[in-house]
PDB file of all heavy atoms in Angstrom:
ATOM      1  N   ASP M   1     237.742 364.771 116.390  1.00  0.00           N
ATOM      2  CA  ASP M   1     238.267 365.145 115.031  1.00  0.00           C
ATOM      3  C   ASP M   1     237.696 364.156 113.989  1.00  0.00           C
ATOM      4  O   ASP M   1     237.844 362.996 114.102  1.00  0.00           O
ATOM      5  CB  ASP M   1     239.845 365.016 115.171  1.00  0.00           C
ATOM      6  CG  ASP M   1     240.446 365.164 113.780  1.00  0.00           C
ATOM      7  OD1 ASP M   1     239.872 365.948 112.893  1.00  0.00           O
ATOM      8  OD2 ASP M   1     241.558 364.707 113.611  1.00  0.00           O
ATOM      9  N   LYS M   2     237.131 364.814 112.926  1.00  0.00           N
ATOM     10  CA  LYS M   2     236.489 364.014 111.854  1.00  0.00           C
ATOM     11  C   LYS M   2     237.171 364.257 110.520  1.00  0.00           C
ATOM     12  O   LYS M   2     236.825 363.656 109.451  1.00  0.00           O
ATOM     13  CB  LYS M   2     234.983 364.265 111.794  1.00  0.00           C
ATOM     14  CG  LYS M   2     234.281 363.914 112.957  1.00  0.00           C
ATOM     15  CD  LYS M   2     232.699 364.125 112.681  1.00  0.00           C
ATOM     16  CE  LYS M   2     231.863 363.872 113.909  1.00  0.00           C
ATOM     17  NZ  LYS M   2     231.997 364.874 114.908  1.00  0.00           N
ATOM     18  N   LYS M   3     238.166 365.301 110.536  1.00  0.00           N
ATOM     19  CA  LYS M   3     238.777 365.645 109.258  1.00  0.00           C
ATOM     20  C   LYS M   3     240.295 365.535 109.201  1.00  0.00           C
ATOM     21  O   LYS M   3     240.818 365.370 108.071  1.00  0.00           O
ATOM     22  CB  LYS M   3     238.290 367.171 108.932  1.00  0.00           C
ATOM     23  CG  LYS M   3     236.934 367.365 108.811  1.00  0.00           C
ATOM     24  CD  LYS M   3     236.441 368.746 108.473  1.00  0.00           C
ATOM     25  CE  LYS M   3     235.016 368.987 108.229  1.00  0.00           C
ATOM     26  NZ  LYS M   3     234.548 370.338 107.991  1.00  0.00           N
ATOM     27  N   GLY M   4     240.941 365.561 110.346  1.00  0.00           N
ATOM     28  CA  GLY M   4     242.399 365.451 110.363  1.00  0.00           C
ATOM     29  C   GLY M   4     242.828 363.990 110.302  1.00  0.00           C
ATOM     30  O   GLY M   4     242.338 363.178 109.523  1.00  0.00           O
ATOM     31  N   ASP M   5     243.696 363.627 111.329  1.00  0.00           N
ATOM     32  CA  ASP M   5     244.127 362.169 111.328  1.00  0.00           C
ATOM     33  C   ASP M   5     243.111 361.286 112.142  1.00  0.00           C
ATOM     34  O   ASP M   5     243.269 360.063 112.108  1.00  0.00           O
ATOM     35  CB  ASP M   5     245.474 362.050 112.019  1.00  0.00           C
ATOM     36  CG  ASP M   5     245.460 362.527 113.421  1.00  0.00           C
ATOM     37  OD1 ASP M   5     244.396 363.022 113.999  1.00  0.00           O
ATOM     38  OD2 ASP M   5     246.609 362.447 114.091  1.00  0.00           O
ATOM     39  N   CYS M   6     242.014 361.893 112.675  1.00  0.00           N
ATOM     40  CA  CYS M   6     240.926 361.149 113.161  1.00  0.00           C
ATOM     41  C   CYS M   6     241.362 360.026 114.206  1.00  0.00           C
ATOM     42  O   CYS M   6     240.958 358.896 114.085  1.00  0.00           O
ATOM     43  CB  CYS M   6     240.068 360.599 112.140  1.00  0.00           C
ATOM     44  SG  CYS M   6     239.386 361.821 110.907  1.00  0.00           S
ATOM     45  N   ALA M   7     242.351 360.418 115.160  1.00  0.00           N
ATOM     46  CA  ALA M   7     242.982 359.340 115.902  1.00  0.00           C
ATOM     47  C   ALA M   7     241.886 358.568 116.695  1.00  0.00           C
ATOM     48  O   ALA M   7     242.076 357.387 116.899  1.00  0.00           O
ATOM     49  CB  ALA M   7     243.936 360.089 116.872  1.00  0.00           C
ATOM     50  N   ILE M   8     240.923 359.249 117.252  1.00  0.00           N
ATOM     51  CA  ILE M   8     239.992 358.521 118.158  1.00  0.00           C
ATOM     52  C   ILE M   8     239.026 357.620 117.258  1.00  0.00           C
ATOM     53  O   ILE M   8     238.969 356.413 117.604  1.00  0.00           O
ATOM     54  CB  ILE M   8     239.069 359.497 118.930  1.00  0.00           C
ATOM     55  CG1 ILE M   8     239.925 360.302 119.958  1.00  0.00           C
ATOM     56  CG2 ILE M   8     237.937 358.819 119.638  1.00  0.00           C
ATOM     57  CD1 ILE M   8     239.195 361.407 120.662  1.00  0.00           C
ATOM     58  N   LEU M   9     238.594 358.057 116.249  1.00  0.00           N
ATOM     59  CA  LEU M   9     237.679 357.247 115.325  1.00  0.00           C
ATOM     60  C   LEU M   9     238.462 356.100 114.718  1.00  0.00           C
ATOM     61  O   LEU M   9     237.989 354.972 114.478  1.00  0.00           O
ATOM     62  CB  LEU M   9     236.917 358.129 114.349  1.00  0.00           C
ATOM     63  CG  LEU M   9     236.065 359.121 114.915  1.00  0.00           C
ATOM     64  CD1 LEU M   9     235.526 359.977 113.806  1.00  0.00           C
ATOM     65  CD2 LEU M   9     234.930 358.513 115.736  1.00  0.00           C
ATOM     66  N   LYS M  10     239.745 356.374 114.347  1.00  0.00           N
ATOM     67  CA  LYS M  10     240.623 355.427 113.903  1.00  0.00           C
ATOM     68  C   LYS M  10     240.938 354.282 114.802  1.00  0.00           C
ATOM     69  O   LYS M  10     240.896 353.097 114.518  1.00  0.00           O
ATOM     70  CB  LYS M  10     242.014 356.004 113.393  1.00  0.00           C
ATOM     71  CG  LYS M  10     242.902 355.110 112.659  1.00  0.00           C
ATOM     72  CD  LYS M  10     244.164 355.886 112.334  1.00  0.00           C
ATOM     73  CE  LYS M  10     243.996 356.932 111.293  1.00  0.00           C
ATOM     74  NZ  LYS M  10     245.302 357.544 111.036  1.00  0.00           N
ATOM     75  N   ARG M  11     241.025 354.671 116.122  1.00  0.00           N
ATOM     76  CA  ARG M  11     241.178 353.570 117.160  1.00  0.00           C
ATOM     77  C   ARG M  11     239.923 352.704 117.197  1.00  0.00           C
ATOM     78  O   ARG M  11     240.001 351.547 117.395  1.00  0.00           O
ATOM     79  CB  ARG M  11     241.374 354.190 118.504  1.00  0.00           C
ATOM     80  CG  ARG M  11     241.543 353.261 119.660  1.00  0.00           C
ATOM     81  CD  ARG M  11     242.814 352.501 119.639  1.00  0.00           C
ATOM     82  NE  ARG M  11     243.947 353.243 119.876  1.00  0.00           N
ATOM     83  CZ  ARG M  11     244.502 353.503 121.142  1.00  0.00           C
ATOM     84  NH1 ARG M  11     243.928 352.845 122.093  1.00  0.00           N
ATOM     85  NH2 ARG M  11     245.496 354.249 121.284  1.00  0.00           N
ATOM     86  N   PHE M  12     238.798 353.288 117.079  1.00  0.00           N
ATOM     87  CA  PHE M  12     237.600 352.396 117.029  1.00  0.00           C
ATOM     88  C   PHE M  12     237.527 351.481 115.928  1.00  0.00           C
ATOM     89  O   PHE M  12     237.222 350.304 116.085  1.00  0.00           O
ATOM     90  CB  PHE M  12     236.303 353.374 116.968  1.00  0.00           C
ATOM     91  CG  PHE M  12     235.001 352.532 116.790  1.00  0.00           C
ATOM     92  CD1 PHE M  12     234.535 351.668 117.746  1.00  0.00           C
ATOM     93  CD2 PHE M  12     234.341 352.663 115.513  1.00  0.00           C
ATOM     94  CE1 PHE M  12     233.394 350.994 117.369  1.00  0.00           C
ATOM     95  CE2 PHE M  12     233.151 351.842 115.256  1.00  0.00           C
ATOM     96  CZ  PHE M  12     232.649 351.112 116.303  1.00  0.00           C
ATOM     97  N   VAL M  13     237.981 351.901 114.767  1.00  0.00           N
ATOM     98  CA  VAL M  13     238.006 351.019 113.562  1.00  0.00           C
ATOM     99  C   VAL M  13     239.007 349.869 113.849  1.00  0.00           C
ATOM    100  O   VAL M  13     238.755 348.741 113.565  1.00  0.00           O
ATOM    101  CB  VAL M  13     238.370 351.771 112.306  1.00  0.00           C
ATOM    102  CG1 VAL M  13     238.710 350.860 111.214  1.00  0.00           C
ATOM    103  CG2 VAL M  13     237.249 352.806 111.957  1.00  0.00           C
ATOM    104  N   GLU M  14     240.192 350.295 114.402  1.00  0.00           N
ATOM    105  CA  GLU M  14     241.243 349.330 114.569  1.00  0.00           C
ATOM    106  C   GLU M  14     240.802 348.217 115.699  1.00  0.00           C
ATOM    107  O   GLU M  14     240.941 347.038 115.556  1.00  0.00           O
ATOM    108  CB  GLU M  14     242.460 349.927 115.118  1.00  0.00           C
ATOM    109  CG  GLU M  14     243.230 350.823 114.057  1.00  0.00           C
ATOM    110  CD  GLU M  14     244.317 351.665 114.622  1.00  0.00           C
ATOM    111  OE1 GLU M  14     244.433 351.747 115.812  1.00  0.00           O
ATOM    112  OE2 GLU M  14     244.971 352.224 113.869  1.00  0.00           O
ATOM    113  N   LEU M  15     240.208 348.741 116.710  1.00  0.00           N
ATOM    114  CA  LEU M  15     239.778 347.853 117.848  1.00  0.00           C
ATOM    115  C   LEU M  15     238.602 346.864 117.312  1.00  0.00           C
ATOM    116  O   LEU M  15     238.445 345.741 117.894  1.00  0.00           O
ATOM    117  CB  LEU M  15     239.217 348.661 119.104  1.00  0.00           C
ATOM    118  CG  LEU M  15     240.165 349.415 119.909  1.00  0.00           C
ATOM    119  CD1 LEU M  15     239.664 350.318 120.844  1.00  0.00           C
ATOM    120  CD2 LEU M  15     241.163 348.329 120.690  1.00  0.00           C
ATOM    121  N   SER M  16     237.797 347.335 116.296  1.00  0.00           N
ATOM    122  CA  SER M  16     236.751 346.596 115.832  1.00  0.00           C
ATOM    123  C   SER M  16     237.188 345.524 114.666  1.00  0.00           C
ATOM    124  O   SER M  16     236.342 344.834 114.156  1.00  0.00           O
ATOM    125  CB  SER M  16     235.600 347.525 115.177  1.00  0.00           C
ATOM    126  OG  SER M  16     235.285 348.450 116.227  1.00  0.00           O
ATOM    127  N   GLY M  17     238.534 345.562 114.487  1.00  0.00           N
ATOM    128  CA  GLY M  17     238.960 344.548 113.466  1.00  0.00           C
ATOM    129  C   GLY M  17     239.342 345.042 112.146  1.00  0.00           C
ATOM    130  O   GLY M  17     239.696 344.379 111.197  1.00  0.00           O
ATOM    131  N   GLY M  18     239.322 346.405 111.918  1.00  0.00           N
ATOM    132  CA  GLY M  18     239.732 347.019 110.645  1.00  0.00           C
ATOM    133  C   GLY M  18     238.899 346.441 109.385  1.00  0.00           C
ATOM    134  O   GLY M  18     237.786 346.419 109.472  1.00  0.00           O
ATOM    135  N   LYS M  19     239.654 346.024 108.400  1.00  0.00           N
ATOM    136  CA  LYS M  19     239.063 345.533 107.219  1.00  0.00           C
ATOM    137  C   LYS M  19     238.211 344.399 107.372  1.00  0.00           C
ATOM    138  O   LYS M  19     237.205 344.047 106.738  1.00  0.00           O
ATOM    139  CB  LYS M  19     240.047 345.301 106.150  1.00  0.00           C
ATOM    140  CG  LYS M  19     240.709 346.455 105.494  1.00  0.00           C
ATOM    141  CD  LYS M  19     239.850 347.250 104.599  1.00  0.00           C
ATOM    142  CE  LYS M  19     240.528 348.290 103.890  1.00  0.00           C
ATOM    143  NZ  LYS M  19     239.573 349.129 103.022  1.00  0.00           N
ATOM    144  N   ALA M  20     238.502 343.551 108.426  1.00  0.00           N
ATOM    145  CA  ALA M  20     237.671 342.249 108.730  1.00  0.00           C
ATOM    146  C   ALA M  20     236.478 342.610 109.644  1.00  0.00           C
ATOM    147  O   ALA M  20     235.817 341.682 109.955  1.00  0.00           O
ATOM    148  CB  ALA M  20     238.710 341.270 109.395  1.00  0.00           C
ATOM    149  N   GLY M  21     236.426 343.844 110.101  1.00  0.00           N
ATOM    150  CA  GLY M  21     235.433 344.169 111.033  1.00  0.00           C
ATOM    151  C   GLY M  21     233.996 344.351 110.493  1.00  0.00           C
ATOM    152  O   GLY M  21     233.826 344.634 109.310  1.00  0.00           O
ATOM    153  N   LYS M  22     233.020 344.208 111.247  1.00  0.00           N
ATOM    154  CA  LYS M  22     231.629 344.529 110.996  1.00  0.00           C
ATOM    155  C   LYS M  22     231.151 345.633 111.924  1.00  0.00           C
ATOM    156  O   LYS M  22     230.824 345.368 113.149  1.00  0.00           O
ATOM    157  CB  LYS M  22     230.789 343.361 111.107  1.00  0.00           C
ATOM    158  CG  LYS M  22     231.060 342.218 110.043  1.00  0.00           C
ATOM    159  CD  LYS M  22     230.136 341.067 110.181  1.00  0.00           C
ATOM    160  CE  LYS M  22     230.383 339.948 109.149  1.00  0.00           C
ATOM    161  NZ  LYS M  22     229.336 338.848 109.276  1.00  0.00           N
ATOM    162  N   LEU M  23     231.094 346.886 111.376  1.00  0.00           N
ATOM    163  CA  LEU M  23     230.723 347.999 112.221  1.00  0.00           C
ATOM    164  C   LEU M  23     229.254 348.392 112.179  1.00  0.00           C
ATOM    165  O   LEU M  23     228.666 348.374 111.013  1.00  0.00           O
ATOM    166  CB  LEU M  23     231.589 349.278 111.877  1.00  0.00           C
ATOM    167  CG  LEU M  23     233.095 349.057 111.635  1.00  0.00           C
ATOM    168  CD1 LEU M  23     233.847 350.385 111.377  1.00  0.00           C
ATOM    169  CD2 LEU M  23     233.652 348.326 112.883  1.00  0.00           C
ATOM    170  N   VAL M  24     228.648 348.745 113.203  1.00  0.00           N
ATOM    171  CA  VAL M  24     227.268 349.162 113.379  1.00  0.00           C
ATOM    172  C   VAL M  24     227.230 350.553 113.862  1.00  0.00           C
ATOM    173  O   VAL M  24     227.767 350.782 114.991  1.00  0.00           O
ATOM    174  CB  VAL M  24     226.413 348.186 114.071  1.00  0.00           C
ATOM    175  CG1 VAL M  24     224.938 348.702 114.166  1.00  0.00           C
ATOM    176  CG2 VAL M  24     226.391 346.812 113.516  1.00  0.00           C
ATOM    177  N   ILE M  25     226.569 351.572 113.159  1.00  0.00           N
ATOM    178  CA  ILE M  25     226.452 352.813 113.627  1.00  0.00           C
ATOM    179  C   ILE M  25     225.041 352.984 114.105  1.00  0.00           C
ATOM    180  O   ILE M  25     224.067 352.924 113.396  1.00  0.00           O
ATOM    181  CB  ILE M  25     226.691 353.939 112.485  1.00  0.00           C
ATOM    182  CG1 ILE M  25     228.064 353.696 111.869  1.00  0.00           C
ATOM    183  CG2 ILE M  25     226.464 355.333 112.903  1.00  0.00           C
ATOM    184  CD1 ILE M  25     228.309 354.338 110.608  1.00  0.00           C
ATOM    185  N   MET M  26     224.917 353.205 115.534  1.00  0.00           N
ATOM    186  CA  MET M  26     223.628 353.349 116.134  1.00  0.00           C
ATOM    187  C   MET M  26     223.264 354.847 116.208  1.00  0.00           C
ATOM    188  O   MET M  26     223.910 355.654 116.941  1.00  0.00           O
ATOM    189  CB  MET M  26     223.704 352.773 117.618  1.00  0.00           C
ATOM    190  CG  MET M  26     224.093 351.369 117.666  1.00  0.00           C
ATOM    191  SD  MET M  26     222.797 350.204 117.095  1.00  0.00           S
ATOM    192  CE  MET M  26     221.604 350.369 118.511  1.00  0.00           C
ATOM    193  N   THR M  27     222.057 355.255 115.458  1.00  0.00           N
ATOM    194  CA  THR M  27     221.767 356.621 115.392  1.00  0.00           C
ATOM    195  C   THR M  27     220.489 356.993 116.260  1.00  0.00           C
ATOM    196  O   THR M  27     219.955 358.020 116.042  1.00  0.00           O
ATOM    197  CB  THR M  27     221.456 357.063 113.868  1.00  0.00           C
ATOM    198  OG1 THR M  27     220.491 356.082 113.356  1.00  0.00           O
ATOM    199  CG2 THR M  27     222.811 356.926 113.047  1.00  0.00           C
ATOM    200  N   THR M  28     220.225 356.138 117.248  1.00  0.00           N
ATOM    201  CA  THR M  28     219.099 356.255 118.067  1.00  0.00           C
ATOM    202  C   THR M  28     219.019 357.732 118.795  1.00  0.00           C
ATOM    203  O   THR M  28     217.888 358.284 118.910  1.00  0.00           O
ATOM    204  CB  THR M  28     218.954 355.178 119.124  1.00  0.00           C
ATOM    205  OG1 THR M  28     218.908 353.908 118.409  1.00  0.00           O
ATOM    206  CG2 THR M  28     217.762 355.324 119.919  1.00  0.00           C
ATOM    207  N   ALA M  29     220.199 358.146 119.182  1.00  0.00           N
ATOM    208  CA  ALA M  29     220.186 359.409 119.959  1.00  0.00           C
ATOM    209  C   ALA M  29     219.820 360.670 119.198  1.00  0.00           C
ATOM    210  O   ALA M  29     219.408 361.519 119.686  1.00  0.00           O
ATOM    211  CB  ALA M  29     221.624 359.538 120.634  1.00  0.00           C
TER     212      ALA M  29
END
């Protein structure tokens, strides 16, 4: 889900530190 509550992607953001996080999106595939 990318448009509703995005529960799975939200979990990734939370696990990565939220506002304090540094996220890297790997587009190699």
Side-chain angles (χ1 to χ4, degrees):
D1 173 26
K2 300 183 182 73
K3 295 180 179 177
D5 62 2
C6 304
I8 293 171
L9 297 178
K10 188 182 292 181
R11 178 69 69 91
F12 170 67
V13 171
E14 291 169 353
L15 290 170
S16 302
K19 288 288 185 186
K22 292 184 178 181
L23 311 187
V24 176
I25 301 165
M26 302 285 290
T27 56
T28 302

